[in-house]
Amino acid sequence: MANFTQHLAGFIPYSWDLLCLSLLGFVCATLCGVAVAKRLQNSEANSGDDVRVVLGATLTLLGLVIGFAFSMAINGYNTRQANEATEATAIASVFARTDLLASEDANILRQTLSQYLDQRLLFYTASNNNEQLAALERASTLLKHDAWNTTVHGTLSQQNPISAFVLAGMADLLNSYERTSAGWHSQIPTAAWSLMAMLSVFCNILIGYSASTRGHRGLLLVFPLVIAISLAIINDIDIPGHGVIHISPDNLMRVANSLTHP
């Protein structure tokens, strides 16, 4: 799982790519079911009831697996949204506490925090470029280390409980950054994706077989399209920083606006 998470963006398509590829694969699976039905129509004329029983059970299992995967993806998305709000609160809190430090240290810390806030905004709004995201991560790491060193220097120079209050706020900022980094990955394991893909293909084959024998030609396109859209949306929600659905840094933007126009 660790290797999968590290190289996830290297071989999984996103958004429209996944939708088109999965739709093409499911349509081909449906057509295979139609071909099998035509070949076996005369020799197994009474097998329709058995196929419908297997199809119903398989569709139920597929629905449960997709629902479970969607729930996992939504939980991860909500966690990332909460982490973004926590980051914004921590940055605003430390910025307000800079007044408790000496004037020189306070000015340096404010400049560092402003640069750090800009980097965090870029991180959430960056395009789907892994190299750019890695560069933003490195820049954020350097800036938060500079902010910590400045806070420690200011606290040691004054050595009173009030200045230590700034240090506690900076510790919360570092913790919020680590929580965001820890939650910035896919929540659905490889085995779940493999099971969904296998069940989807198998269901489309059975749909093709059943629709061909009963004359329901509309199912040959409707069912593959519905499953392809479902998997594409789950993939978009589950993998952060890629696809159409993103975490919007509304709270960080609000903090940035309040610092610019207090």
Side-chain angles (χ1 to χ4, degrees):
M1 181 61 189
N3 292 333
F4 169 75
T5 302
Q6 293 173 1
H7 302 288
L8 189 61
F11 62 89
I12 283 189
Y14 307 101
S15 301
W16 297 108
D17 293 336
L18 178 63
L19 176 62
C20 294
L21 289 175
S22 58
L23 180 59
L24 178 62
F26 295 155
V27 169
C28 291
T30 305
L31 294 178
C32 289
V34 172
V36 172
K38 290 181 178 180
R39 180 179 295 272
L40 301 179
Q41 190 171 7
N42 296 327
S43 59
E44 297 185 9
N46 298 324
S47 63
D49 293 337
D50 295 336
V51 171
R52 284 192 288 273
V53 170
V54 175
L55 176 60
T58 309
L59 285 175
T60 301
L61 180 58
L62 177 61
L64 290 174
V65 173
I66 288 180
F68 180 70
F70 185 78
S71 177
M72 291 181 64
I74 287 294
N75 287 336
Y77 183 84
N78 291 336
T79 299
R80 289 188 286 271
Q81 278 191 319
N83 290 338
E84 185 271 338
T86 303
E87 274 202 272
T89 302
I91 293 173
S93 177
V94 175
F95 205 96
R97 299 180 191 186
T98 55
D99 293 333
L100 302 177
L101 296 177
S103 177
E104 182 179 355
D105 290 325
N107 290 332
I108 295 175
L109 184 56
R110 290 191 192 101
Q111 294 176 2
T112 305
L113 287 175
S114 297
Q115 296 174 8
Y116 177 77
L117 179 58
D118 292 338
Q119 292 297 321
R120 299 311 293 162
L121 284 170
L122 290 174
F123 174 80
Y124 282 98
T125 58
S127 60
N128 304 339
N129 189 316
N130 293 325
E131 294 182 358
Q132 182 181 6
L133 291 175
L136 291 173
E137 284 275 10
R138 291 192 296 269
S140 298
T141 301
L142 292 176
L143 287 171
K144 68 185 180 68
H145 286 165
D146 292 341
W148 172 260
N149 293 333
T150 302
T151 305
V152 171
H153 179 269
T155 304
L156 293 178
S157 63
Q158 295 186 209
Q159 293 188 356
N160 58 62
I162 296 180
S163 61
F165 193 54
V166 186
L167 193 63
M170 181 57 65
D172 292 337
L173 187 149
L174 299 181
N175 290 334
S176 67
Y177 174 87
E178 294 302 329
R179 281 194 293 270
T180 299
S181 299
W184 205 259
H185 61 81
S186 172
Q187 302 294 319
I188 303 177
T190 312
W193 279 112
S194 301
L195 179 60
M196 282 191 292
M198 180 184 66
L199 289 175
S200 298
V201 171
F202 191 52
C203 284
N204 278 283
I205 293 175
L206 293 176
I207 284 289
Y209 184 95
S210 178
S212 179
T213 57
R214 302 180 67 180
H216 296 164
R217 300 293 182 177
L219 292 176
L220 300 180
L221 180 61
V222 173
F223 186 77
L225 181 61
V226 170
I227 298 300
I229 292 175
S230 301
L231 296 184
I233 292 177
I234 291 174
N235 180 78
D236 241 21
I237 297 173
D238 183 51
I239 302 178
H242 294 273
V244 177
I245 301 175
H246 298 275
I247 301 296
S248 179
D250 296 332
N251 297 285
L252 288 172
M253 293 177 65
R254 175 180 52 81
V255 172
N257 291 332
S258 66
L259 297 181
T260 306
H261 305 287

